[in-house]
Amino acid sequence: MSDLLSVVIPSYNEEGLIPLTSKNLSDILEEADIPYELIFVDDGSVDHTWQQIQDETCHNPAVKGINFSRNFGKEAAIYAGLLYSSGACCVVIDCDLQHPPEKIIEMYHLWQQGYEIVEGVKHSRGDESFAHTFAAKCFYKILSRITEIDMSKASDFKLLDRKAVNALLNMKEKNAFFRALSSWIGFSTTTIEFDVRERTIGESKWSTWSLIKYAASNIASFSSAPMQIVSLLGVIMMILSIILGGVSLYQKAIGIALEGFTTVIIINLFTGSIIMMSLGIIGYYISKIYEEIQGRPKYIVKKTCGKVEDMTKK
């Protein structure tokens, strides 16, 4: 169907929300007379999420389900949903309904007007802790600077035309950052604002540590800027060495003994810290290169349900 809308819904331990999300989205899209399919991607949940998805496919023929063999992460779930989608455009939305589903209608109409990407931009972040909000702002500010793409209010909630979807799927990198790459690919883009809602059931699956790892992985996958920090630190150390070396030679020449034992210790500790930090950054990038050359897939699909086309035959 030329105007079919595919809604990709990554899900991890959301057994209580699957029926509610499915009904909410179905009611809104059917009322707006928009042809649709709902693609739930179970990212290796350890509760009854997959059973709930299977039940929904029995109640609603527009629902499809994809089940991973283990937890591969939200990025992998998004790409799997896009790969198995068959619509002329796709919307990615969180299963927890913190992204307002009624905004999909506005996105769809903007797509009909000719826009190929409709970005959901956060007007407010909802009831988040100060630490979480501060950390998120710092991460996106850094990412915006190094990528030259405004990520300050970015989200995964967006609509993509089929051409944009295909462009993303043609990128074979394993550590793909959907939120940034969907902006990087270009195409005719517009934005809509939304307020992040509170979860109706359950708690967020993102811990502070998982968010830190997510941020580090995405910065490394989308930019080599941290590698340039190593070069900058090397230049700073070289300048300091020249200055201190010049001071030492001058004092030697005029016969003044350099007593700076403490200074030497501090310089050695500072130099050692810079070297170890630089090796850590380089090692992290090497590990990412290692992951890429292994050629392992982003995810492994264990089961599917509903009217899902066998992608292995494509």
Side-chain angles (χ1 to χ4, degrees):
M1 197 175 298
S2 60
D3 289 336
L4 179 68
L5 170 66
S6 297
V7 183
V8 176
I9 313 162
S11 310
Y12 179 65
N13 291 345
E14 299 286 9
E15 60 179 355
L17 277 167
I18 297 297
L20 178 64
T21 301
S22 177
K23 184 178 187 307
N24 197 315
L25 288 169
S26 297
D27 290 347
I28 289 172
L29 294 173
E30 287 172 7
E31 183 178 354
D33 197 27
I34 296 176
Y36 71 95
E37 62 177 6
L38 305 182
I39 306 174
F40 286 94
V41 184
D42 178 14
D43 185 20
S45 299
V46 295
D47 61 1
H48 297 96
T49 295
W50 179 241
Q51 182 61 53
Q52 292 290 344
I53 293 173
Q54 289 179 306
D55 291 345
E56 287 304 311
T57 61
C58 296
H59 302 150
N60 186 348
V63 175
K64 300 178 180 180
I66 301 167
N67 181 219
F68 285 174
S69 60
R70 65 170 179 84
N71 178 248
F72 285 92
K74 184 179 180 181
E75 301 290 320
I78 290 174
Y79 276 85
L82 294 177
L83 180 64
Y84 280 83
S85 67
S86 54
C89 60
C90 299
V91 166
V92 176
I93 186 171
D94 286 352
C95 187
D96 55 18
L97 297 178
Q98 289 189 290
H99 297 155
E102 61 272 9
K103 287 290 183 178
I104 295 176
I105 308 303
E106 187 177 344
M107 289 178 165
Y108 187 79
H109 291 325
L110 287 169
W111 171 74
Q112 289 180 317
Q113 295 173 23
Y115 291 103
E116 293 161 317
I117 297 179
V118 183
E119 298 266 4
V121 175
K122 295 177 182 177
H123 179 260
S124 69
R125 300 187 63 90
D127 187 20
E128 290 183 345
S129 66
F130 173 78
H132 187 99
T133 301
F134 177 75
K137 287 183 178 180
C138 289
F139 166 60
Y140 287 116
K141 187 174 182 179
I142 293 171
L143 195 62
S144 298
R145 289 289 298 274
I146 64 180
T147 62
E148 297 183 354
I149 299 173
D150 185 11
M151 301 289 295
S152 59
K153 297 181 179 179
S155 73
D156 291 326
F157 184 35
K158 60 189 66 185
L159 178 145
L160 304 170
D161 182 80
R162 175 52 55 181
K163 294 191 291 293
V165 171
N166 291 339
L168 287 173
L169 293 176
N170 284 332
M171 297 179 183
K172 302 305 180 183
E173 58 195 88
K174 179 182 177 183
N175 295 297
F177 185 19
F178 171 74
R179 196 172 300 188
L181 286 176
S182 57
S183 299
W184 178 83
I185 58 176
F187 294 101
S188 176
T189 303
T190 189
T191 61
I192 63 168
E193 288 190 341
F194 70 94
D195 294 318
V196 177
R197 294 177 174 174
E198 296 303 310
R199 289 179 62 96
T200 55
I201 299 175
E203 298 178 350
S204 174
K205 308 306 183 293
W206 291 93
S207 65
T208 301
W209 177 240
S210 63
L211 286 171
I212 292 173
K213 292 194 295 181
Y214 178 74
S217 176
N218 288 326
I219 289 175
S221 68
F222 204 77
S223 173
S224 62
M227 294 288 283
Q228 309 309 316
I229 295 176
V230 175
S231 301
L232 176 62
L233 292 174
V235 171
I236 292 173
M237 287 304 302
M238 183 182 69
I239 294 173
L240 289 175
S241 298
I242 292 172
I243 294 173
L244 293 174
V247 171
S248 298
L249 290 174
Y250 172 74
Q251 292 178 332
K252 180 74 173 178
I254 64 176
I256 301 176
L258 182 61
E259 299 179 357
F261 178 76
T262 303
T263 304
V264 172
I265 295 298
I266 292 174
I267 290 173
N268 284 335
L269 290 173
F270 180 68
T271 303
S273 299
I274 294 296
I275 291 172
M276 295 304 295
M277 185 171 66
S278 300
L279 289 175
I281 294 174
I282 295 170
Y284 190 76
Y285 273 88
I286 292 174
S287 71
K288 291 298 179 182
I289 295 171
Y290 177 65
E291 289 177 5
E292 291 291 340
I293 64 174
Q294 283 178 315
R296 294 175 183 172
K298 289 187 181 74
Y299 53 84
I300 298 173
V301 175
K302 180 181 178 181
K303 299 176 183 176
T304 62
C305 61
K307 297 179 182 179
V308 178
E309 182 179 355
D310 186 357
M311 303 306 295
T312 61
K313 296 180 180 179
K314 283 197 170 184

